[in-house]
Amino acid sequence: MINKILKNTESVCPVCLKRIPARKLIEDQNVYLIKECPEHGNFRVLIWQSGIDYNSWEIPKISSIVHNCKTGIEYGCPFDCGICPDHRQEGCCILLEITSNCNLRCPICFANSNLNKNKDPEFSLIESWYRQLFNSGIPYNIQLSGGEPTTRDDLPEIIRLGHEIGFDYIQLNTNGLSLGKEPDYVRKLGDAGLNSVFLQFDGTTDEIYKTIRGAPLLDVKMAAIDNCSDNNIGVVLVPTLVREINLNNIGDIIRLAAKRIPHVRGVHFQPISFFGRYPSKPPMNRITIPEIIKAIEYQTEGRLKTTNFRPAGAENSYCSFHGNFILMQDGTLKPLPSSQRPDCCTQPVIAAEEIIKSRQFVAKQWSVGRACCCKNTGMNRPEIKDAFSDYGMNTESLDDFLDHINSYSLVISGMAFMDAWNMDLDRLRDCKIHVFHPDGRLIPFCAFNLTSESGKSIYRTMY
Amino acid sequence: MSAEFNLQQSKILCVKCGEYLKTGSVTLEYLGNNFPVELYKCPQCGLVFIPENLATGKMQQVEKMLEDK
C-alpha cells in the first residue's frame, strides 16, 4: 500500500462547520480527504477513485481576478461569500431561487424543500434581482430554481422579464411534474422564451423514482420531455446518482437521451451530496468522477470511453467532467475530437477566458439547435450558399456539418458537489455556479447549500 | 448576391504557375474530420484559393464546433 500526501488544503468540520486544515492523501490510487477537528475528531472521505490518474486530470489554470465583489475578506473562506476578492472565478450560471415550495417531498433534496405553502418572493423583487445582476455588466446565464419553480403561475412572466432585461439564456431547474401534466403551461414557458429545462431525471425505471423521489414518476418525466420537445425547449437530463439505486442505470439513461436527440441536449450526472435533506448517514465510499466515467464506458459496452471525457477549464478541474458527442445515422454516439484529455504539454488556460466560453457553450448546447426547427432559415443559409455557389464553388458539406452538429450533438457531463464531509475550500474558490442571495450577494453553490451534520447552514439561515 | 463577395474567376492567377484558377474538388480536413468541397484551385500545382469570407465564416464556425468549450 502506497500512502502519500498530495496536497494540503482546508475544509470544514461536518459537526460544527468550523474551518479546519485538511490533507489529500493518495492510497492505492484512491484519493482521500482527511481532516481533524480539535473538538469533534477525525474525518476521512473518498474524493477520487482509481482508474483515472488524479494529478494528470488537472488542467493548469491562470486564475481570474473577480469583479462584482459584494463582500471583503474578514472571516475567511467559506464565511465571506458575496463573492469576496479571495474567490478565483466569475459566475457562469446564477441561480435565482424564486420559491421555497415544492410539489414533491423527495427523501433527497439539497434545498430541503417541502410541500408547505410559503410566501413566494414578489414579482417586483425578482425584477430587482435581475436588474442587480444585469447592472453588474457580466452576461450571466440564469437558472430559475427553488423549491420547484413551476409551482408559480407567473413563471412565464418571470422568464419573459429576464429576457426583456437582457439575459439571453434562461434555464429552468425542475422536477418536471407540471411540465409533464400541463402541456399548456409548457407552451406558455416556450412562448416566453425558456431556453432549456434542467430536468431531474434519475433513471429509466419507476423503481428508481420510488426510492429516490418517493413516487413512480417515469411516465410524467417522459411526458415532460415530449412537451418540451413540442415547444422547442432544450432538455438536459439530470440524474442524481445514488450507489445501490441507479449507478447501474447510467448506460440506459444515455441510450434514452440519444434517442431523444435533438431536443434532449445533454445528460448531467450529479452524485448525491450530503447537504439539505438526505436519507442516510454519508458513506465514506462516495461516488466520484472516475467511478461515473468508468461506469459510462462499462455500461455503453465500451462505445463511449473514459478517454472521451475531460475536465472543464472554467471551474476547478476536480468539480466536473464532460464529453461532447455527435449522433451518427446508425444511432451511435461519436465523440468529437475536442473531447480529448489534456496532456503534459497542455498550456495553462486563462480562467477569465474560459468562463466566457463556458457561458456561450452552455447557452448554445443546452438550447435546441436551430436546424431541427427552422432548417434553411436560422443561419440565412440560402444566402450564404448562393453567394459561393454563384461562383461555381460548393461548400455544402460545411453547411450540412454545421446544421447537424448544431442539432445532433449531446454533451454528457457531471458535477461533483461538495458537502461538509468532502469540502475542499481550494476547490470552492474556483466555483462558477453561484446562488443569488436576496441581499444581493452571490454565494458559490456548495457554500450556499452547505449544512452541518445536524442541518445547520451558513447561508440559507440568513434568509 | 452578397455585396461583400467580389470574387471573379478571370482575376485569380496562380502566382507560381501563372495559370488561371478553376473550380475543382478539395477536401478540407480539421481535427480528423473531412469536408469535401469545390473551390478554386490551380490546375497545375493545386494551390487552393479560399475566399476571406469563407475562411472567417463557415470554416471558422466549423472549427469552433470541433474545438472545446
Side-chain angles (χ1 to χ4, degrees):
Chain A
M1 183 181 292
I2 300 169
N3 289 352
K4 183 184 169 191
I5 297 294
L6 283 176
K7 197 174 180 183
N8 292 319
T9 182
E10 290 180 304
S11 184
V12 293
C13 170
V15 180
C16 62
L17 293 186
K18 281 183 186 157
R19 185 176 57 250
I20 54 176
R23 288 174 294 173
K24 294 179 197 172
L25 173 77
I26 187 162
E27 194 174 284
D28 290 341
Q29 297 183 48
N30 294 316
V31 181
Y32 298 86
L33 189 76
I34 55 174
K35 54 189 176 180
E36 180 180 356
C37 173
E39 199 176 339
H40 299 105
N42 294 306
F43 301 91
R44 171 189 162 110
V45 62
L46 183 68
I47 57 172
W48 194 263
Q49 278 133 317
S50 61
I52 296 177
D53 180 65
Y54 183 84
N55 288 315
S56 59
W57 177 261
E58 184 171 19
I59 296 179
K61 184 161 56 176
I62 298 167
S63 298
S64 291
I65 295 170
V66 295
H67 306 284
N68 200 24
C69 292
K70 290 285 196 301
T71 48
I73 300 171
E74 189 173 355
Y75 302 105
C77 191
F79 304 105
D80 292 330
C81 296
I83 49 183
C84 86
D86 198 26
H87 205 69
R88 300 190 295 235
Q89 185 55 290
E90 302 277 7
C92 171
C93 183
I94 306 296
L95 275 66
L96 302 183
E97 294 204 343
I98 61 171
T99 183
S100 61
N101 299 318
C102 192
N103 48 10
L104 273 178
R105 194 183 188 285
C106 306
I108 297 168
C109 180
F110 67 77
N112 202 11
S113 297
N114 50 51
L115 298 167
N116 292 344
K117 269 287 170 193
N118 297 321
K119 191 170 184 298
D120 287 334
E122 298 283 347
F123 185 81
S124 58
L125 182 61
I126 294 170
E127 178 174 0
S128 77
W129 297 350
Y130 274 140
R131 292 201 185 282
Q132 286 178 64
L133 285 172
F134 191 76
N135 290 341
S136 72
I138 300 170
Y140 295 119
N141 291 334
I142 298 291
Q143 185 186 89
L144 300 176
S145 188
E148 172 53 47
T150 61
T151 57
R152 290 187 68 130
D153 291 334
D154 61 353
L155 183 57
E157 287 72 35
I158 292 171
I159 292 164
R160 189 171 283 113
L161 176 69
H163 284 306
E164 285 170 0
I165 286 174
F167 294 102
D168 290 334
Y169 177 79
I170 297 182
Q171 180 186 72
L172 174 66
N173 187 15
T174 179
N175 60 30
L177 264 62
S178 297
L179 304 190
K181 292 174 181 171
E182 300 174 48
D184 281 348
Y185 186 69
V186 183
R187 183 180 49 74
K188 288 177 188 169
L189 299 178
D191 289 346
L194 179 62
N195 301 91
S196 174
V197 162
F198 215 52
L199 179 66
Q200 176 197 85
F201 193 92
D202 301 316
T204 59
T205 72
D206 269 334
E207 291 308 310
I208 289 170
Y209 292 102
K210 282 185 205 169
T211 312
I212 300 184
R213 305 295 166 193
L217 299 173
L218 182 60
D219 286 348
V220 75
K221 301 279 184 183
M222 297 308 295
I225 295 173
D226 289 340
N227 291 335
C228 288
S229 303
D230 289 346
N231 290 280
N232 283 314
I233 300 169
V235 177
V236 181
L237 306 182
V238 186
T240 299
L241 293 177
V242 185
R243 195 182 298 285
E244 316 294 345
I245 297 176
N246 62 350
L247 200 55
N248 60 358
N249 195 237
I250 284 175
D252 286 338
I253 294 170
I254 291 172
R255 280 183 281 276
L256 184 146
K259 283 179 186 165
R260 302 307 299 254
I261 293 172
H263 296 99
V264 169
R265 311 292 302 151
V267 183
H268 189 68
F269 294 104
Q270 297 177 342
I272 181 175
S273 292
F274 293 86
F275 41 43
R277 188 166 64 236
Y278 46 88
S280 58
K281 196 173 176 185
M284 197 203 78
N285 63 334
R286 297 296 189 86
I287 299 169
T288 70
I289 286 173
E291 184 170 9
I292 302 172
I293 294 175
K294 285 188 292 179
I296 291 172
E297 175 166 333
Y298 180 73
Q299 293 178 34
T300 59
E301 290 81 36
R303 291 186 178 89
L304 310 188
K305 302 189 184 309
T306 58
T307 50
N308 298 147
F309 296 93
R310 56 170 291 164
E315 61 265 37
N316 188 284
S317 300
Y318 298 105
C319 286
S320 72
F321 70 89
H322 69 278
N324 305 335
F325 300 87
I326 291 289
L327 182 70
M328 307 304 287
Q329 284 188 333
D330 63 2
T332 59
L333 293 171
K334 179 187 175 188
L336 282 169
S338 56
S339 290
Q340 297 309 312
R341 199 84 56 77
D343 56 29
C344 58
C345 301
T346 302
Q347 294 298 308
V349 298
I350 298 169
E353 293 176 357
E354 294 298 310
I355 198 69
I356 294 168
K357 285 200 271 181
S358 180
R359 289 188 200 111
Q360 292 172 347
F361 182 87
V362 164
K364 175 176 68 66
Q365 175 60 36
W366 285 353
S367 303
V368 172
R370 291 165 293 195
C372 70
C373 57
C374 49
K375 192 161 177 145
N376 294 338
T377 58
M379 301 172 68
N380 293 322
R381 186 174 159 179
E383 289 78 2
I384 293 171
K385 280 176 75 174
D386 285 348
F388 293 110
S389 59
D390 279 351
Y391 294 95
M393 290 184 281
N394 181 348
T395 57
E396 259 189 65
S397 62
L398 298 176
D399 296 312
D400 290 343
F401 175 80
L402 287 170
D403 280 354
H404 189 80
I405 208 165
N406 266 324
S407 297
Y408 292 92
S409 57
L410 183 80
V411 171
I412 299 172
S413 55
M415 185 164 273
F417 295 126
M418 296 184 289
D419 51 46
W421 284 266
N422 59 10
M423 173 63 70
D424 175 355
L425 295 179
D426 189 52
R427 264 177 67 187
L428 185 69
R429 289 184 178 92
D430 290 329
C431 178
K432 66 166 189 176
I433 310 290
H434 300 165
V435 183
F436 185 88
H437 193 284
D439 67 11
R441 289 179 296 164
L442 296 175
I443 317 291
F445 183 88
C446 292
F448 188 84
N449 289 297
L450 185 69
T451 50
S452 70
E453 193 176 53
S454 62
K456 187 176 85 174
S457 171
I458 301 174
Y459 290 105
R460 278 192 185 276
T461 50
M462 292 181 181
Y463 271 102
Chain B
M1 186 185 301
S2 169
E4 63 185 317
F5 197 84
N6 56 7
L7 177 68
Q8 291 182 27
Q9 181 181 359
S10 61
K11 288 189 178 174
I12 303 177
L13 274 174
C14 175
V15 289
K16 185 177 163 193
C17 309
E19 295 274 340
Y20 284 113
L21 269 57
K22 293 179 180 171
T23 54
S25 298
V26 174
T27 300
L28 304 174
E29 190 270 338
Y30 191 66
L31 290 173
N33 290 266
N34 294 323
F35 301 94
V37 294
E38 288 178 43
L39 297 174
Y40 281 87
K41 66 178 186 181
C42 174
Q44 194 156 319
C45 71
L47 178 81
V48 175
F49 174 74
I50 297 177
E52 184 179 351
N53 52 354
L54 178 62
T56 59
K58 277 188 268 190
M59 285 177 66
Q60 194 177 48
Q61 287 180 52
V62 169
E63 286 174 14
K64 280 184 180 172
M65 291 292 185
L66 288 170
E67 290 162 1
D68 201 17
K69 70 173 176 178

